[in-house]
Amino acid sequence: MNSVTNNFEALFKKAEEFRNSLGYSEKIRIRVGSATCEHAAGSYTVYEEFQKHILSSGRQDVILEKTGCTGRCSCEPIVGVFVPGKLPVKYQLVKRDSVHKIFMDHVVGGKIVQEHLLDKTPDSCKYHVLMCDGSGCGGALEGGLRFQFEMRVAESGLKPDEVWLTSIGCLGFCTITEKKEQTVQVMVRPDNIIYRIKTIKDVDDIIENHLKKGKVVQRLVAKEKPISQRFYNLYGDVAFFNKQTRIALRNAGVVNPESIYDYLHYKGFLALKEVLEKNDPEWVVKQITESKLRGRGGGGFQTGLKWTSARKAKEKIRYIICNADEGDPGAFMDRSMLESDPFSIVEGMIIGGFAIGAQKGYFYIRAEYPLAVERINHAIEECRKHNLLGQNILGSNFSFDLEIRLGAGAFVCGEETALIHSVEGERGQPRVRPPYPTESGLWGKPTVINNVETFANIPPIIVYGPEWFAQVGTKQSGGTKVFALAGKIQRTGLVEVPMGTTLRNIVYGIGGGPAGGKKAKAIQTGGPAGGCIPEKYFDTPVDFDTLGKLGSIMGSGGMIVLDEDDCMVDVAKFYMEFCQDESCGKCTPCREGTKRILEILIKITEGKGTEKDLENLERLAKLVKKTSLCGLGRAAPNPVLSTLTYFKEEYLAHVKHKKCSSRKCRSLIHYEIDPEKCVGCTICAKNCPVPCITGERKEVHVIDTARCIKCGRCFEVCRFKAVKKL
Amino acid sequence: MCAHQNTQQATDNWKEVKEFAKKALPEHIITFIEECKKEEHPESKLIKVLQLVQEHFGYLATTQMDAVAQLLQVPMAKVSGVATFYHFFRLVPRGKYLIRVCLGTACYVKGAERVVDKLKEELGIQFGETTKDGLFSLEGTRCLGCCGLAPVVEINEEIFGQVTPDKIPAILEHFSEKETEKQ
């Protein structure tokens, strides 16, 4: 045993003692979501209201805590109530007014408040059995495990609603070392026990003893805890979550992001300990290379290769930078990780720093994320306090420190050479590569830049091994990817799935499909640099290469679902406005090209376009793609080119027939009042800002289309559906 | 290697420079710059310094940028270059409440444009302008990362989610009432 181990164990012991002193096992815990999105939804006031209730009730056995966000955005604020020995309960859309009822009925009275439940757990459910569907498990028993379990539970005489069976994404059991033979994992909640099953007799044993008599079948119990156990124990009953595989987001919504002790409890800094104990940077790089981890910032460059080339540099002063300048509109996974699990990013960076031989690391975070900055700042200070940063970390001979640098709102700073300039205090403009930053980066020194999500994946790879990580994903790309699912979809939020999961599975399986029974038309992936993928390709497995082939990119993982109401020309215009505005102006193709492309798109949406414009548009877009200096310009035409490829007919309708089929382009639509439906209620005339609607009370109204500004107000307020958008 | 960056000696009128800076900048920013100069690469803190200045004054005026340039010993051209390059910096004063409408994709497809129209109509100003009473400024902003709550409007770090044009008057009233109460 060396001093690193001793120091770590002392720290771990301290953390456990602290946690035990809070008496978690016998107290009721109320956990309120606390991240930017949760706050926006009103979780501050909910937290305060719970505080008041606990104080005035005088209860000593109730703990109120903050947790990050799990990524179930449209249901926030989310509040968890955990009573020892009972299934964890989560409430959604909790407002100040509902706090009282939850506190009185549930915390005091022990009765679950049904109307606020986040996905309903059957009321009488005593046990919840989760069956792993991961690639390492699944289908090992004859006829499939789920089938066997269902059949036997039905035959056993247990009431059907007493035991609830669910298939889940992956428990991550394939992570652990005790696996020697093919077994299937099931988890039994609320006891939070994982069984490894080999035969049908095992299934019967669990049903007979555990589910019927409440006795744990010791011989089948797994000794080690897999990566997702905690997550599934808390969220295993929520449909949005249990189809996911959580690695990068393993702690989001599970740990208290402001507590280093909490992080330590969930295997935090164990990877760092292992790395420092071995004291072999080459070994670390080898682990990362074998894991097939590819950069999650968008480019998909192999992280192991990047680290190797930095290690090879002659210069010994080296830097490591975390790119947390999440500028893609529609992406918020980095923010969520920074806010919900800051310590894991810090740990990933320290390990990265050790592997490449850096002395210093920089967090480049955008200033638009004040809470993320605060949490990372806090995490860095805590780490310094506990000797996890600074001189001789954990008593090893490795010294390393971190500093935060704030971005100031420039999308191009996501490009690594531009980012380096920004850290240096310059305008964030890119330069020609090579030399690559790994040879000559920050102040001319070898520099590795990785994305937040990449760093979040480092600790689990070290703890659970690269083989496991590699087998989660596809052949070319290991692990999972987090997507920010938003737009026209029922369940918006963060989705983490293995590489190779199909788009359809994400949109329909997890996201629940578009809202209001509408049809999804396309998915826009990768932000302004990505393309639109039409519905007919939804069965494509998601990976860096497959998306590239479809003319889009993985990007940092934004995923915006578009439905029939969205005009693809308009979407292309939106992204081009963004890129044109964010073009730094250094190279001509991007500076001038994006401007001219935008002009053509505006012309088309205004109904002034010609077929010649479409030709020019395509030619120009291809030129900009080919000749721009950096990734911004090279990818900026993607939304245009992909929509031209897949939705050519929409462009043609705009230029030939001057029609916008989704009725989005204002210049191409007009409003009329259907005389058969109009009852003369005057509400449209009252709301018209121009005003251009005339008509007497109880008589048919008429819109003067010459004066109409097409604001659509009349269309919205009419209760008789008499106003028509044509 | 960067010892030459600590260029207190580079100017022969250092005393006057400091006098000038003292008038233009508050104490804590001067101290911050001096702290920076003790470390390597002080010029790399330019963005941070400008952020502090903007936090204090609400915008960046020429005198302040000039003072920063002198104290940090970087050319004024670079300071104004940085100040105009990044969206975050403003060169004109803004209202007491800064209204920033998220123009990210999710907000866009969920109707942020109509929220913008309503705000412009209610306030009688365009993007980048301030109301006559100096209370509200209006800006568009890049994705605020609350896509699940789209469309989103941020007013002085307070975030409003799922905003529809109908909700705008009430939100604005909330802030103007706050002001009248204070008076």
Side-chain angles (χ1 to χ4, degrees):
Chain A
M1 227 191 241
N2 62 24
S3 61
V4 172
T5 322
N6 287 337
N7 286 331
F8 178 79
E9 264 158 26
L11 179 62
F12 185 72
K13 211 176 131 207
K14 201 166 142 194
E16 289 302 288
E17 275 167 9
F18 175 78
R19 280 175 54 90
N20 289 338
S21 74
L22 297 175
Y24 278 150
S25 50
E26 61 266 20
K27 289 186 179 172
I28 298 174
R29 294 164 78 180
I30 303 174
R31 310 188 76 181
V32 181
S34 166
T36 303
C37 42
E38 295 264 14
H39 291 167
S43 78
Y44 264 138
T45 45
V46 169
Y47 186 87
E48 281 167 7
E49 198 64 20
F50 270 114
Q51 214 163 22
K52 275 187 217 155
H53 273 82
I54 294 172
L55 273 177
S56 58
S57 74
R59 298 267 303 238
Q60 298 293 318
D61 61 335
V62 182
I63 306 178
L64 181 64
E65 290 175 312
K66 281 182 193 164
T67 178
C69 92
T70 19
R72 186 63 187 88
C73 305
S74 44
C75 291
E76 288 170 349
I78 293 177
V79 172
V81 176
F82 308 142
V83 181
K86 296 268 171 64
L87 281 170
V89 176
K90 282 87 47 194
Y91 292 110
Q92 63 169 354
L93 298 168
V94 179
K95 298 278 175 274
R96 179 199 283 248
D97 316 340
S98 27
V99 169
H100 183 71
K101 193 166 168 53
I102 292 175
F103 192 84
M104 294 316 288
D105 286 13
H106 192 174
V107 180
V108 178
K111 222 180 110 236
I112 294 168
V113 184
Q114 293 291 334
E115 66 260 36
H116 286 294
L117 276 184
L118 171 68
D119 282 24
K120 289 201 167 119
T121 310
D123 214 6
S124 54
C125 168
K126 212 163 113 199
Y127 288 108
H128 183 196
V129 183
L130 304 170
M131 292 174 285
C132 188
D133 247 358
S135 53
C137 301
L141 292 188
E142 199 188 331
L145 175 70
R146 187 185 170 106
F147 177 72
Q148 290 292 344
F149 228 111
E150 263 169 11
M151 207 174 69
R152 270 153 210 274
V153 166
E155 285 168 0
S156 68
L158 283 163
K159 283 188 204 116
D161 51 357
E162 226 172 320
V163 175
W164 184 32
L165 302 175
T166 319
S167 299
I168 55 164
C170 177
L171 268 171
F173 211 80
C174 21
T175 48
I176 63 149
T177 45
E178 66 181 281
K179 179 190 164 198
K180 285 192 189 74
E181 52 218 318
Q182 186 70 28
T183 57
V184 184
Q185 331 304 334
V186 297
M187 176 169 169
V188 180
R189 298 169 73 223
D191 299 343
N192 198 4
I193 280 169
I194 294 186
Y195 289 119
R196 310 169 67 224
I197 304 176
K198 270 178 286 184
T199 61
I200 294 189
K201 187 179 173 301
D202 296 346
V203 173
D204 287 338
D205 259 9
I206 293 170
I207 294 173
E208 274 308 308
N209 292 304
H210 197 155
L211 302 186
K212 275 190 176 169
K213 298 177 196 147
K215 276 200 308 208
V216 175
V217 187
Q218 288 300 342
R219 69 175 180 94
L220 297 171
V221 175
K223 285 173 200 74
E224 291 181 50
K225 285 186 176 175
I227 185 164
S228 305
Q229 177 173 15
R230 182 70 188 156
F231 181 79
Y232 277 120
N233 185 36
L234 294 184
Y235 299 103
D237 54 342
V238 182
F240 182 75
F241 293 127
N242 60 26
K243 297 282 179 292
Q244 303 190 26
T245 301
R246 293 240 165 175
I247 297 174
L249 289 171
R250 63 197 177 280
N251 287 332
V254 174
V255 299
N256 178 348
E258 287 169 4
S259 162
I260 193 168
Y261 294 149
D262 228 25
Y263 181 65
L264 275 159
H265 179 74
Y266 298 112
K267 300 204 171 191
F269 295 108
L270 195 64
L272 180 65
K273 184 207 85 167
E274 244 173 77
V275 164
L276 294 178
E277 218 173 39
K278 278 218 167 61
N279 200 18
D280 179 6
E282 297 286 352
W283 175 80
V284 180
V285 176
K286 198 170 149 259
Q287 300 289 301
I288 303 303
T289 311
E290 281 173 5
S291 74
K292 295 183 192 162
L293 173 67
R294 292 172 68 172
R296 300 295 195 246
F301 191 75
Q302 290 214 10
T303 309
L305 273 183
K306 204 184 240 181
W307 289 13
T308 308
S309 76
R311 273 202 67 72
K312 276 189 196 146
K314 282 201 189 89
E315 174 63 56
K316 293 292 175 230
I317 296 177
R318 295 172 194 156
Y319 297 103
I320 190 157
I321 299 178
C322 173
N323 182 353
D325 188 48
E326 187 174 50
D328 274 20
F332 50 98
M333 66 288 289
D334 290 354
R335 177 183 63 72
S336 174
M337 279 179 247
L338 293 165
E339 287 178 353
S340 306
D341 194 14
F343 289 100
S344 81
I345 322 288
V346 171
E347 185 182 1
M349 275 195 85
I350 305 173
I351 294 171
F354 175 80
I356 66 155
Q359 298 80 31
K360 180 138 197 197
Y362 289 93
F363 259 104
Y364 187 81
I365 312 181
R366 60 197 294 240
E368 285 93 335
Y369 288 172
L371 186 68
V373 175
E374 193 187 307
R375 294 245 160 104
I376 290 292
N377 212 352
H378 176 261
I380 292 176
E381 272 167 27
E382 284 289 296
C383 286
R384 284 193 190 132
K385 237 187 258 169
H386 293 89
N387 189 220
L388 293 159
L389 274 177
Q391 294 297 315
N392 301 87
I393 294 172
L394 286 175
S396 68
N397 52 13
F398 174 59
S399 301
F400 181 77
D401 208 357
L402 284 172
E403 191 182 322
I404 296 180
R405 287 293 165 101
L406 294 190
F411 178 64
V412 71
C413 287
E415 201 279 341
E416 45 182 24
T417 58
L419 190 151
I420 286 172
H421 284 148
S422 186
V423 174
E424 288 172 348
E426 308 265 343
R427 280 180 294 168
Q429 287 184 314
R431 61 159 172 79
V432 180
R433 298 182 303 179
Y436 286 93
T438 45
E439 299 154 41
S440 170
L442 194 58
W443 295 299
K445 310 289 181 196
T447 305
V448 162
I449 302 176
N450 282 131
N451 165 268
V452 173
E453 194 183 334
T454 313
F455 283 121
N457 277 310
I458 303 290
I461 293 175
I462 302 288
V463 172
Y464 301 107
E467 306 81 26
W468 153 73
F469 192 82
Q471 63 87 25
V472 172
T474 61
K475 262 188 185 154
Q476 293 80 27
S477 175
T480 55
K481 177 78 193 88
V482 182
F483 293 100
L485 195 58
K488 306 286 182 60
I489 183 111
Q490 282 189 36
R491 309 182 191 133
T492 54
L494 292 176
V495 178
E496 182 169 358
V497 286
M499 293 278 181
T501 306
T502 62
L503 288 167
R504 192 175 301 283
N505 222 330
I506 297 172
V507 175
Y508 290 93
I510 296 171
K518 290 206 168 129
K519 244 187 99 200
K521 185 180 194 172
I523 293 188
Q524 207 284 342
T525 68
C532 296
I533 300 168
E535 213 266 344
K536 63 176 170 186
Y537 292 110
F538 276 14
D539 289 313
T540 312
V542 174
D543 194 1
F544 293 97
D545 311 314
T546 50
L547 289 185
K549 268 186 210 140
L550 289 175
S552 186
I553 60 163
M554 176 88 92
S556 58
M559 213 176 244
I560 308 279
V561 180
L562 305 168
D563 68 9
E564 15 184 71
D565 292 342
D566 293 302
C567 165
M568 301 315 283
V569 186
D570 184 64
V571 168
K573 187 184 84 177
F574 167 78
Y575 282 113
M576 198 41 74
E577 268 170 8
F578 181 88
C579 290
Q580 189 268 322
D581 193 34
E582 290 294 341
S583 172
C584 78
K586 185 164 177 171
C587 75
T588 320
C590 174
R591 184 183 64 236
E592 303 297 326
T594 52
K595 178 100 185 147
R596 301 298 161 224
I597 293 176
L598 179 61
E599 280 171 5
I600 300 176
L601 288 171
I602 291 175
K603 206 173 144 193
I604 296 173
T605 52
E606 283 178 350
K608 296 172 193 154
T610 61
E611 280 184 69
K612 180 80 189 153
D613 282 325
L614 294 188
E615 266 173 54
N616 287 343
L617 186 64
E618 191 168 346
R619 208 161 53 103
L620 184 56
K622 282 183 178 160
L623 185 78
V624 173
K625 194 177 165 97
K626 231 186 259 171
T627 53
S628 290
L629 168 67
C630 80
L632 192 154
R634 279 202 290 266
N638 280 344
V640 176
L641 287 170
S642 65
T643 47
L644 267 175
T645 313
Y646 301 123
F647 299 96
K648 187 76 177 248
E649 71 288 351
E650 284 196 32
Y651 279 89
L652 285 171
H654 279 74
V655 296
K656 266 191 183 166
H657 313 294
K658 312 292 176 207
K659 277 257 172 328
C660 174
S661 54
S662 3
R663 298 188 183 86
K664 184 96 183 179
C665 298
R666 228 183 243 191
S667 311
L668 303 179
I669 54 164
H670 69 274
Y671 292 92
E672 269 174 26
I673 294 175
D674 184 348
E676 306 232 315
K677 285 188 180 162
C678 179
V679 296
C681 71
T682 74
I683 196 147
C684 57
K686 273 183 197 148
N687 277 284
C688 178
V690 181
C692 67
I693 303 178
T694 48
E696 293 299 315
R697 198 172 178 79
K698 294 194 177 169
E699 274 171 31
V700 171
H701 282 53
V702 183
I703 297 174
D704 179 359
T705 38
R707 278 162 59 218
C708 174
I709 56 163
K710 299 172 185 174
C711 68
R713 194 72 192 125
C714 50
F715 179 75
E716 280 161 23
V717 295
C718 181
R719 279 172 292 167
F720 306 95
K721 292 195 174 145
V723 181
K724 288 201 167 125
K725 207 186 205 180
L726 297 163
Chain B
M1 67 160 253
C2 287
H4 69 277
Q5 299 282 3
N6 299 338
T7 39
Q8 295 224 352
Q9 308 85 337
T11 46
D12 50 10
N13 61 340
W14 190 245
K15 230 173 128 187
E16 283 110 67
V17 167
K18 281 200 90 174
E19 283 299 307
F20 166 69
K22 250 185 204 164
K23 274 184 218 148
L25 298 172
E27 191 58 40
H28 74 274
I29 294 178
I30 298 180
T31 330
F32 181 81
I33 297 176
E34 275 163 5
E35 285 300 310
C36 290
K37 294 182 79 169
K38 289 179 193 156
E39 293 165 26
E40 266 190 315
H41 312 298
E43 77 291 351
S44 73
K45 297 275 177 74
L46 175 60
I47 295 174
K48 178 74 202 170
V49 173
L50 292 180
Q51 276 167 345
L52 287 175
V53 174
Q54 180 160 302
E55 200 178 67
H56 188 84
F57 294 99
Y59 73 112
L60 304 175
T62 326
T63 14
Q64 292 140 15
M65 287 198 280
D66 202 13
V68 169
Q70 304 244 25
L71 277 184
L72 259 184
Q73 289 288 293
V74 292
M76 180 61 182
K78 190 174 146 183
V79 177
S80 72
V82 166
T84 48
F85 182 83
Y86 293 99
H87 291 290
F88 187 80
F89 298 117
R90 284 177 298 268
L91 305 180
V92 284
R94 61 163 179 84
K96 189 157 183 197
Y97 296 103
L98 175 62
I99 306 176
R100 304 167 84 200
V101 188
C102 178
L103 297 179
T105 322
C107 290
Y108 182 77
V109 298
K110 291 260 184 110
E113 229 179 343
R114 286 174 35 234
V115 173
V116 173
D117 288 345
K118 184 74 184 173
L119 275 166
K120 285 181 179 169
E121 184 195 318
E122 287 283 317
L123 296 168
I125 53 173
Q126 296 296 313
F127 273 150
E129 293 178 359
T130 304
T131 49
K132 277 190 190 128
D133 55 7
L135 216 52
F136 296 107
S137 291
L138 186 61
E139 271 180 18
T141 177
R142 293 299 170 226
C143 187
L144 292 168
C146 302
C147 310
L149 299 169
V152 172
V153 172
E154 184 192 49
I155 304 181
N156 284 14
E157 297 199 355
E158 192 175 337
I159 289 181
F160 296 85
Q162 286 161 354
V163 180
T164 53
D166 304 344
K167 289 185 188 165
I168 295 292
I171 293 175
L172 292 178
E173 212 165 290
H174 167 74
F175 286 96
S176 25
E177 260 173 27
K178 240 195 214 172
E179 281 311 299
T180 21
E181 266 170 38
K182 270 186 206 161
Q183 283 161 12

